[in-house]
Amino acid sequence: MGVYQRRRNAAGLEVLVKVSYVRRPSRAEFPLTTEFARHSTNATVGLTGRATVIDDVGRHVEAGGGFYVCDDGVQSEACAPILEGARQVVGIVDPEAKARAFFGAERLAVVAALALTAAAVLP
């Protein structure tokens, strides 16, 4: 699980910066560009503001979907935008799991609740 905030980096570029995570360390910054989004769920959600659920990472990638691999064991992901105001994306929550189809209705409700409340506590 990672929580990322939208910020400008030292070069002045829009990025998602990891502000909190649990488990294996991963990439600390994701560029918010369409080029990077081609192979990154995080960047795609950060740019579009639309949540993405991937039940089977292998099939998703085989079908041409973007997924940035930080941990080869990850089989599913439920990435959701953190929105503020009129749908302005201020970050994302990015839980991943080693089991395929891990994010059923109850777990997705938790992810959505986290995304809805996170804007109030981001630094």
Side-chain angles (χ1 to χ4, degrees), residues 8 10 30-32 39 47 50 52 69 77 83 93 103 122:
R8 287 200 181 276
F30 286 84
L32 285 173
H39 60 88
L47 287 171
R50 290 188 303 261
T52 299
V69 178
E77 175 181 44
L83 302 173
V93 294
F103 297 99
L122 283 176

Side-chain angles (χ1 to χ4, degrees), residues 52-97:
T52 299
V53 178
I54 301 172
D55 286 327
D56 185 326
V57 168
R59 283 188 176 175
H60 176 75
V61 172
E62 285 174 9
F67 184 80
Y68 185 87
V69 178
C70 293
D71 179 345
D72 290 340
V74 170
Q75 298 299 315
S76 59
E77 175 181 44
C79 189
I82 301 169
L83 302 173
E84 186 174 81
R87 294 198 43 86
Q88 177 185 349
V89 178
V90 296
I92 65 164
V93 294
D94 181 38
E96 300 172 333

Side-chain angles (χ1 to χ4, degrees), residues 93-116:
V93 294
D94 181 38
E96 300 172 333
K98 294 190 183 266
R100 286 181 181 87
F102 182 79
F103 297 99
E106 288 183 22
R107 288 186 173 117
L108 287 175
V110 172
V111 172
L114 176 58
L116 287 169

